[in-house]
Amino acid sequence: MGQWTSAVGAAQLARLLRSQSAAARETAAGRRLPAYRALADGVRLLVLEGRVPVAARLPAERELAAALALSRTTVASAYEALRGEGFLESRRGAGSWTAVPAGSPLPTRGLDPLPPEAAGSMIDLGCAALPAPEPWLTKAFQGALEGLPPYAHTHGDYPAGLPDLRQALADRYTARGIATMPEQIMVTTGAMGAVAAICHLFAARGERVAVESPSYANVLQLMRDAGARLVPVAMADGLTGWDIPVWRQVLRDAAPRMAYVMADFHNPTGALASEDQRRAMVAAARAAGTVLVVDETMSELRHDPEAELPPPVSAFDPAGSTVVTVGSASKAFWAGLRIGWVRAAPDVIRSLVAARAYTDLGSPVVEQLAVTWLLGDGGWDAAGDIRRTQARENRDDLVAALGRHVPGWEFTVPSGGLTLWVRTGGLSGSRIAEAGERLGVRVPSGPRFGVDGAFEGFVRLPFTVGGALAETAATRLAAAAHLVETGAPAAADTPRSLVA
């Protein structure tokens, strides 16, 4: 690495370091690490987590020492340790910047899927996605190919989406009690494509956006990259949804242009907002002039298919002036089917469609035809039953395995969704994630789901494995926690008795 490409200020780095759990800087015997070692470990973890980019210029020793109320000698020793480990490079007159040791992969900022070549040796609890619900995936694409010939004679670009799919999605909303016209639907390339388009329209660079805290990591990063100023709003205790008084205050005081929320089996906590909370949230957003973007990607993943869900958030916005809804086939059906959609007022849809000419023009036709087939031939509901059964069984297996192997970890079992939000008994979630990957289990740590490094004492565990794999994953997590607690390195030659 020849030179730095970005910079991290002393105040910013100090804030990120202070967000790390104090417990993570102690050993099980209660012996505190030397100050320089704790500082070096903290910076290293920030780099490995992606919260400080590689090739970012770090503040001068004197500046960081003042921001952290440490001696300059302590900071200098920490920098020297980082240089020796390959996490820092320096040049006289140019300063010091972050790096990764030779042969180490660059840290990812989001929740990237595990590379296929690693699947045989790694249990992937990073990506909250289940295998396709066959035979419905195959049937959907067979139906799509049968319906393709008329479209093959066209240009193939449908910025608003195929008319038949827009109609099918509108009909599905109407059946849920939300009268909807096709003109209120735009088909997108996954839910992330939908959120990106909405952010481009409503949240120009520098605009405030209120987000739940914690929230979905990839959306948070998308908004950061778009230049949004994120305003975190804490979730209510347990899985009880939103803290409405806090939301009212934030919307009133911060006046964000947009708010992004997940009312149905929130990612990562699994929380489900009540009907009263939904009604109050829409009223608060309307009063503040805030566009309320509601992500419904988890809404069909209730674990008890007979349980009643509250009405959709858009039911409390009959005029359509406040709520913009995002949906997707990726969680409800299969992550490889990258079809999402936006439901909003017709004028909002027209603006989104007009702006799309400068991005991706439209979503793949065959995939749109596959979703149209599923919605029209009953396959969507049948596949949903398979998906709910998979999620419920995996959830129960994982919960039981965690209870056996890490009984000190705390969580509330959600009634839907794909994720478990786990407090790791006072240990650093970042360190557990780092040790876990070396022991063959990949998990995202809590800070990925917060703003400015919050939730260091958490990890997110999705319901993507069950049975023996869930048991093995819990065993490896327990081994990772043991290594973190004792301060031992998670080296490649860790005794197999720890990772059996």
Side-chain angles (χ1 to χ4, degrees):
M1 184 79 62
Q3 181 60 284
W4 55 273
T5 58
S6 62
V8 179
Q12 179 188 3
L13 183 56
R15 184 171 65 253
L16 290 170
L17 289 164
R18 288 178 181 131
S19 73
Q20 295 175 328
S21 169
R25 297 190 289 270
E26 297 187 18
T27 67
R31 294 179 288 105
R32 293 189 63 83
L33 295 171
Y36 86 91
R37 183 69 260 172
L39 176 55
D41 285 354
V43 172
R44 176 175 56 85
L45 280 171
L46 290 174
V47 172
L48 291 172
E49 277 286 294
R51 287 182 281 156
V52 169
V54 175
R57 186 181 187 275
L58 295 187
E61 295 169 1
R62 189 186 303 276
E63 294 173 355
L64 186 57
L68 292 172
L70 294 173
S71 72
R72 184 176 177 181
T73 300
T74 296
V75 176
S77 298
Y79 278 16
E80 183 60 33
L82 289 166
R83 277 189 288 269
E85 295 162 4
F87 286 94
L88 198 68
E89 295 182 9
S90 304
R91 189 166 64 241
R92 185 177 298 277
S96 299
W97 56 92
T98 57
V100 290
S104 298
L106 290 175
T108 57
R109 294 184 297 173
L111 306 181
D112 298 334
L114 187 70
E117 62 270 17
S121 60
M122 184 77 67
I123 298 175
D124 186 11
L125 296 182
C127 188
L130 291 165
E134 287 288 28
W136 296 106
L137 177 65
T138 299
K139 289 184 176 181
F141 275 92
Q142 289 171 341
L145 292 175
E146 291 174 2
L148 180 61
Y151 295 94
H153 296 289
T154 73
H155 49 65
D157 289 333
Y158 295 87
L162 297 185
D164 287 350
L165 179 54
R166 296 175 77 194
Q167 182 67 63
L169 291 167
D171 290 345
R172 192 163 183 86
Y173 278 107
T174 299
R176 294 170 66 191
I178 315 299
T180 303
M181 304 179 295
E183 292 79 9
Q184 291 177 264
I185 301 292
M186 181 178 84
V187 179
T188 63
T189 306
M192 291 294 288
V195 175
I198 294 166
C199 286
H200 181 76
L201 181 62
F202 289 111
R205 184 169 293 274
E207 290 278 6
R208 294 185 181 93
V209 177
V211 295
E212 296 150 327
S213 184
S215 186
Y216 179 39
N218 286 341
V219 165
L220 293 180
Q221 192 59 50
L222 182 156
M223 292 178 178
R224 291 187 189 101
D225 289 346
R229 298 163 60 191
L230 301 183
V231 181
V233 185
M235 299 288 290
D237 291 337
L239 300 184
T240 54
W242 300 323
D243 189 329
I244 294 300
V246 173
W247 270 102
R248 285 197 186 103
Q249 181 178 350
V250 168
L251 294 179
R252 181 180 64 247
D253 295 347
R257 181 70 181 92
M258 191 177 95
Y260 170 82
V261 298
M262 295 186 72
D264 300 298
F265 310 124
H266 170 264
N267 184 356
T269 69
L272 178 66
S274 69
E275 180 173 344
D276 289 344
Q277 288 172 331
R278 295 167 191 239
R279 181 182 292 106
M281 187 69 168
V282 173
R286 184 183 297 117
T290 298
V291 175
L292 186 62
V293 179
V294 180
D295 187 335
E296 289 188 338
T297 53
M298 295 284 188
S299 63
E300 300 199 37
L301 289 171
R302 64 195 186 283
H303 297 154
D304 180 0
E306 306 303 320
E308 288 291 329
L309 284 177
V313 177
S314 55
F316 306 103
D317 182 36
S321 60
T322 300
V323 176
V324 175
T325 302
V326 171
S328 173
S330 297
K331 299 299 185 185
F333 188 79
W334 183 49
L337 193 59
R338 304 303 303 167
I339 296 297
W341 53 86
V342 179
R343 180 198 180 275
D347 63 315
V348 172
I349 295 298
R350 286 193 295 270
S351 296
L352 290 170
V353 171
R356 193 170 193 181
Y358 307 103
T359 54
D360 64 355
L361 294 178
S363 300
V365 170
V366 174
E367 281 83 345
Q368 291 188 69
L369 288 171
V371 177
T372 305
W373 185 92
L374 286 166
L375 292 172
D377 286 70
W380 184 272
D381 293 330
D385 290 339
I386 295 172
R387 178 65 84 232
R388 283 186 286 272
T389 299
Q390 286 177 317
R392 181 178 63 252
E393 292 177 352
N394 286 355
R395 179 202 65 182
D396 293 346
D397 288 347
L398 183 61
V399 165
L402 292 173
R404 285 188 288 271
H405 296 286
V406 280
W409 289 13
E410 302 172 16
F411 50 84
T412 302
V413 181
S415 59
L418 286 173
T419 58
L420 198 65
W421 186 236
V422 180
R423 188 188 299 272
T424 52
L427 300 176
S428 164
S430 297
R431 284 176 164 80
I432 288 173
E434 181 188 6
E437 188 143 1
R438 299 183 186 182
L439 295 175
V441 59
R442 186 170 183 259
V443 299
S445 63
R448 292 182 181 269
F449 304 89
V451 176
D452 284 339
F455 306 110
E456 180 61 45
F458 289 82
V459 294
R460 189 197 72 170
L461 304 179
F463 315 137
T464 52
V465 297
L469 270 181
E471 190 75 19
T472 302
T475 302
R476 293 179 181 179
L477 287 171
H482 172 75
L483 293 174
V484 172
E485 191 172 17
T486 58
D493 58 353
T494 299
R496 292 198 59 80
S497 60
L498 285 177
V499 297

